[in-house]
Each structure stands twice: as structure tokens, then as C-alpha cells.
Amino acid sequence: MITRRSILRQGLAAAATLAARHAFANQVPPSFRGTKPGAERVVGSIPLCWCPAGRFLMGSPPGEPERRPGEDQIQVTLTRGFWMAEFETTQAQWKGLFDQLPGPLTAELPAGDDLPVGNVNFAEAEEFCRRLTERGRESGDLPRDWEFRLPTEAQWEYACRAGTTTATAFGNALSSTQANFKGQPYNGAAPGPALGRAIRVGSYPANAWGLHDMHGNTFEWCRDWYHSRLPGGTDPDLHSARDSATRNRDGSVSRARRGGAWTDDGWSCRSAFRLRFEPERRYDHIGFRVAAVEITQ
């Protein structure tokens, strides 16, 4: 027999079920921060490695071979740990959020799900981060007070060094058996294959925090506007510092890129090496990797 009481109970039960489903969809992982350097987590299709809070000397010492202007050392303190993508963003990961790749393929960067995405400009890389954040929050894999973004230059170099103070994460020399670059090994290292093209991410050894291809394969966008002097201090972030950015010869300004690529010699893969690139431009050997960071108010 259907009564008002039974209808009310059914309605309350349905409401409770909907509430439970909503809570499950929006639940926050119990402890999203990593427990130790290199701890692993996967959010969506992105494997991540934990980079703990800490201090380091950003840049290169005066005696480092092949040192370039703009690398004067400066103390940096990162007060919050963050997650860095284990690999450069791949074509498969890009196609998981977009209908097509951001730019044309080339002979050096052919189609391949495990190859890095390239020919991507800065705004497109940021849009990938925005969509990835939205997807992660909807699934409940990413807490509401965390987001994906491009790393700052400080975060990038800190993650690349992984606690080291040498020119690269593998010491003061770099062989092309350790990273995908073209031409001369760095600082007398043993030569290896010079592919002259992109290769599957993760094909070379990881650094001490589990991150692959921080040296070579493809250059990686950083979120900072390029300044000729490295930013120091506590949690430096030059994402919005356009007005103070170093001007190019034509008066334009650039974002920073890091890491070296298959196109260059080994010296350009040093941890401290940095270049600029206008944010609206794209090239097949420039891609990116994402970081998951805790949002501060």
C-alpha cells in the first residue's frame, strides 16, 4: 500500500543516494601531498613524482663549463612541495583532452602516442593544464585546492636537479646515452647515439626523484616571463610579471623554456641553461610538462 510516509521515505532515500554519489565524485584523496622525494601518484593519465619543499641555489657557478649569461646563482626557497609530471606531455595525453594535436607533425617529430607533443604555443599549453585540472577535480583525483599548471623556472630547475648541485642531475658531464641531444656530449662525457629526432618519453634514465627527460628530448615551457636575472627569494613566480620582463630586440617579451632538445649539443641540456621564446610561437622541439601545485590564497 502506497502511503504518504512510504513516498517520503523513498524520496529521502533517493536524495541520500544522490548526495552520496556527489560526495564520492568530489571526495578529496586523504593525503595528497607526497611522503618523500620521488613518491609517485597518478592523476588521470599523468604519472607524477613528488618534489618536496626545500632550498637550493638556482643557476650555475662561475666555473661551470659552457655557462651562459643569465645564470648567476641565487638562493631560492620553495615553501610547498609539488608534483611534477614524470614525463614530458605526450601526444596521447594531449589527444585525451583535445580533438587534434596543436600543430603539424614533422620528420623529426612524427605521430606517436608515447612521443612528446610539440609545436605547441604557450597559451595552448596553459589551456591543457586548465582542462586537466577540470578533469581531475571532476573525477575526484585532484583536490579542489590543487591545480595543474606549467612549472615556474624555480620549480623546474629544482625538480631537474633533484637535490644535486652539479651541472646536470647525473654529474658534471652528460653523455647522449643519458639524454636525447644532438652533437657533442657535455664536458668530455662518452659519446652515444645522436638521434636528431624526438624519442619515446622515458627512454633515458630518470633523475633521483624519478623524473625522465629533464635533460634533452624536447625543450619545455615554463610559466614565467623571461627575465635576464634569475628570480630568487621565496616561491618566486613571474607568471604575471610581464611589465618587468626582458625585452627582445623588437620590443616583444618572451616566456622561459628549459631542458634542451634533440636539436642541440649536450651543453644546452645543463640544469641551469635557459632560453626565451615568444609565447605565441611554436616549434616542433618545444613541448612542456605539467606540475600539480597547491593553491595559496
Side-chain angles (χ1 to χ4, degrees):
M1 179 177 178
I2 299 176
T3 65
R4 289 184 64 185
R5 180 172 294 181
S6 65
I7 293 173
L8 179 60
R9 286 175 177 170
Q10 290 173 4
L12 290 172
T17 300
L18 286 173
R21 288 176 179 172
H22 179 77
F24 178 79
N26 292 280
Q27 65 182 345
V28 174
S31 179
F32 195 75
R33 295 190 186 97
T35 57
K36 61 180 181 179
E40 297 178 347
R41 175 183 290 277
V42 177
V43 175
S45 63
I46 311 294
L48 302 165
C49 296
W50 180 247
C51 302
R55 299 175 66 191
F56 79 112
L57 266 181
M58 188 179 181
S60 62
E64 184 169 295
E66 301 290 353
R67 186 175 190 261
R68 292 297 190 268
E71 297 180 12
D72 289 348
Q73 287 183 305
I74 193 165
Q75 188 78 45
V76 171
T77 299
L78 299 177
T79 61
R80 292 174 182 264
F82 59 95
W83 294 97
M84 188 72 123
E86 183 177 353
F87 308 109
E88 296 154 334
T89 302
T90 66
Q91 295 178 26
Q93 290 166 343
W94 182 274
K95 290 186 289 187
L97 294 175
F98 296 87
D99 293 334
Q100 59 186 11
L101 293 174
L105 297 168
T106 65
E108 293 78 19
L109 182 66
D113 283 350
D114 292 331
L115 290 176
V117 67
N119 264 325
V120 54
N121 67 30
F122 182 84
E124 291 164 339
E126 287 210 310
E127 177 61 16
F128 178 91
C129 294
R130 189 194 67 79
R131 294 191 186 191
L132 191 63
T133 297
E134 187 177 71
R135 180 78 60 88
R137 289 174 177 172
E138 287 175 351
S139 69
D141 290 336
L142 186 70
R144 295 285 172 179
D145 56 347
W146 287 71
E147 69 178 9
F148 283 104
R149 60 171 65 163
L150 297 175
T152 65
E153 274 202 89
Q155 288 171 333
W156 192 96
E157 187 173 325
Y158 182 67
C160 177
R161 290 187 176 281
T164 63
T165 58
T166 46
T168 82
F170 305 116
N172 283 318
L174 188 68
S175 166
S176 48
T177 63
Q178 298 170 304
N180 182 19
F181 59 85
K182 180 181 179 180
Q184 291 294 320
Y186 174 60
N187 202 25
L195 305 180
R197 58 176 172 82
I199 195 171
R200 178 179 56 83
V201 300
S203 295
Y204 292 84
N207 69 14
W209 292 352
L211 302 170
H212 292 264
D213 302 315
M214 297 297 286
H215 304 296
N217 208 27
T218 185
F219 273 104
E220 302 174 15
W221 284 112
C222 291
R223 74 186 252 113
D224 292 350
W225 287 106
Y226 181 87
H227 289 65
S228 59
R229 293 173 62 95
L230 285 168
T234 300
D235 299 322
D237 185 347
L238 302 182
H239 181 260
S240 300
R242 188 182 191 281
D243 290 346
S244 58
T246 300
R247 297 281 165 177
N248 301 319
R249 291 178 180 177
D250 62 359
S252 64
V253 288
S254 297
R255 296 285 182 175
R257 56 184 169 122
R258 291 291 197 119
W262 77 79
T263 51
D264 298 301
D265 289 340
W267 66 265
S268 67
C269 299
R270 294 176 301 112
S271 300
F273 183 65
R274 53 200 296 259
L275 282 177
R276 67 181 81 182
F277 202 61
E278 296 93 328
E280 64 276 6
R281 294 178 61 195
R282 64 183 77 239
Y283 226 117
D284 62 354
H285 62 275
I286 301 177
F288 66 99
R289 80 176 68 215
V290 300
V293 303
E294 194 169 4
I295 303 169
T296 58
Q297 300 300 323

